[in-house]
Each structure stands twice: as structure tokens, then as C-alpha cells.
Amino acid sequence: MIKKAFKCAFPYTVPILTGFLFLGISYGIYMRALGFSAAYPIFMSMLIFAGSMEFVTATMLLSSFNPVGAALLTLMVNARHIFYGITMVSKYKQVGRKKWYLIFGMCDESFSINCSVDVPEGVDKGWFYFWVTLLNQSYWVLGATSGALIGSLLTFDTKGLEFVMTALFVVIFLDNWLKEKNYISSLLGLAASLACLVLFGADKFLVPSMCVIFLILSLARPALKKEVA
């Protein structure tokens, strides 16, 4: 059962492997370039597991001590996980003790796979979700560790490397778009995001757009169910 779930989950994580290894290596090298020892990116990649915040944390560690500001910034950057968690409550309800790790290990990519993939019949859903989550975290830790170990030997400009995650999400969105029969929810999400981007700017649009999308899809849920049916 466990082995079967692993074989089923692994192919879905291969695109994440490519992105996480590249960005994780760049993160490890970036941390070493800032003067941190290899232990920092290695343990931060294991415990924080929020890629964007790990890059931000590198800067905060070099700034004045401000735990309240750090907490608020983390909440703003990762507020979308609140909505991820709400979405996954029903899926993780029947997986036993594995749910505690699934909650800790949830990232954007694991959420995208576990939320959208229809687990094949005969494959245990709990173990499928577990392997997707564990594999994705392992890729990130492996990349960060590799970058940390070779960071003292290589130096290059890391500006722009974070765009790899944007490209990854575009690919995931396009993959889901091609599978959809009804594009209303995707178009509503795009429209809400663009509207919030114009109103709030690139630095502050994420949380408002998530709130607006959640509100719109909640109100439109009955109509969307009818369209699917």
C-alpha cells in the first residue's frame, strides 16, 4: 500500500523536483554569500519550509531584532496558507496521524497536487498525500543543502533566480486549465487578482486578492456546481 502510493505520487512531483532543486541551490548559495554558515540554510529549509520567507529571513537576520515585525511579515507573505488549510480540511480528515505532518509540510506545490489530482482507485489517499508532501520537502532540503555546501566555492549574481517559482506556478495553472471543462473559476481568480494588483500594487495585492477570490467563489459556488453538473 505504501509502496504503491509512492509510485503513484512520485511522477506528479517531478516538475517540482526541477524547480525546487534549482531554487534551493540558489538559496543555499545566497545564504553563504551573505556570510552565514551552511547550518543556517540546511536547518531553515527543514523547519521553515516557506521558500519566499526563507529568502526574506536571510535579510531579517542581518537587520535589527524585531520579532513582531517578522511575525506580521510572515503572516502577510504566507496568509494564502489559511485558505489552503480550509480547502484541505476534508481531504486530510481521514488520514490519521499523518495529517499533522501534512499540515506542517504543506506548501504551494504540495497543495496544488493534493488538491487537484484525482488519486487513482486502489491507492491509499493518505499515503499519496504524505508522499507528495515528503518528496517536495525533500527536494527543497536537498537543494538548499547542496547550495550551502558549494556556496563557498561559487559566487554569482542571484538576482532574478526567484522567478523560477513564478514560472512553475504558470505551468501548473496552464496544466489545470487544459484539464478544465469550465473556465469560470479560473477566469474569476485571474480577474480578481488583476483588479487587486491595480488597486493595491504589486507589494500588497496578494492578501486582498485571496480574500476576494475566496468571497467570490464562495458566493458563486451554487452556480458553479450547476455549470459542472
Side-chain angles (χ1 to χ4, degrees):
M1 177 177 65
I2 299 175
K3 186 176 181 180
K4 186 176 182 180
F6 173 83
K7 289 182 177 180
C8 182
F10 176 70
Y12 289 100
T13 68
V14 172
I16 315 301
L17 167 64
T18 305
F20 271 19
L21 281 181
F22 180 76
L23 188 59
I25 290 173
S26 69
Y27 166 67
I29 294 174
Y30 175 65
M31 287 291 289
R32 294 304 302 271
L34 292 178
F36 292 99
S37 69
Y40 277 84
I42 292 173
F43 284 102
M44 285 170 63
S45 65
M46 292 179 183
L47 300 176
I48 298 178
F49 199 41
S52 54
M53 270 312 302
E54 290 184 44
F55 279 94
V56 175
T57 301
T59 303
M60 290 195 295
L61 287 173
L62 297 175
S63 304
S64 57
F65 182 67
N66 184 7
V68 176
L72 291 175
L73 179 59
T74 303
L75 177 62
M76 292 294 293
V77 172
N78 293 291
R80 63 191 183 279
H81 285 247
I82 296 174
F83 304 97
Y84 293 172
I86 293 173
T87 303
M88 300 305 289
V89 167
S90 60
K91 287 181 176 288
Y92 290 170
K93 186 178 295 185
Q94 305 298 329
V95 300
R97 289 181 294 179
K98 291 189 289 295
K99 73 177 181 181
W100 300 112
Y101 172 68
L102 295 176
I103 292 170
F104 163 76
M106 183 185 294
C107 65
D108 300 334
E109 295 74 18
S110 296
F111 167 78
S112 297
I113 296 174
N114 288 338
C115 182
S116 61
V117 171
D118 292 325
V119 181
E121 187 175 350
V123 176
D124 183 270
K125 292 184 178 180
W127 282 110
F128 177 89
Y129 300 149
F130 174 84
W131 283 120
V132 167
T133 305
L134 181 62
L135 285 169
N136 286 341
Q137 184 177 14
S138 299
Y139 301 153
W140 177 253
V141 174
L142 177 61
T145 300
S146 300
L149 295 177
I150 66 175
S152 60
L153 304 176
L154 300 175
T155 58
F156 60 87
D157 186 4
T158 59
K159 184 177 180 181
L161 287 177
E162 64 275 9
F163 183 75
V164 68
M165 298 310 295
T166 302
L168 183 61
F169 280 120
V170 171
V171 172
I172 292 174
F173 174 80
L174 291 176
D175 182 61
N176 287 331
W177 176 277
L178 293 174
K179 294 178 181 178
E180 288 180 350
K181 296 180 180 179
N182 187 318
Y183 304 111
I184 295 177
S185 58
S186 295
L187 292 174
L188 286 174
L190 286 174
S193 299
L194 290 173
C196 290
L197 178 62
V198 173
L199 291 173
F200 299 100
D203 296 329
K204 300 179 180 179
F205 87 102
L206 183 59
V207 174
S209 65
M210 293 297 293
C211 293
V212 172
I213 291 171
F214 178 76
L215 179 61
I216 291 176
L217 293 181
S218 296
L219 295 174
R221 186 177 180 182
L224 292 174
K225 279 189 173 181
K226 290 181 181 179
E227 289 291 337
V228 174

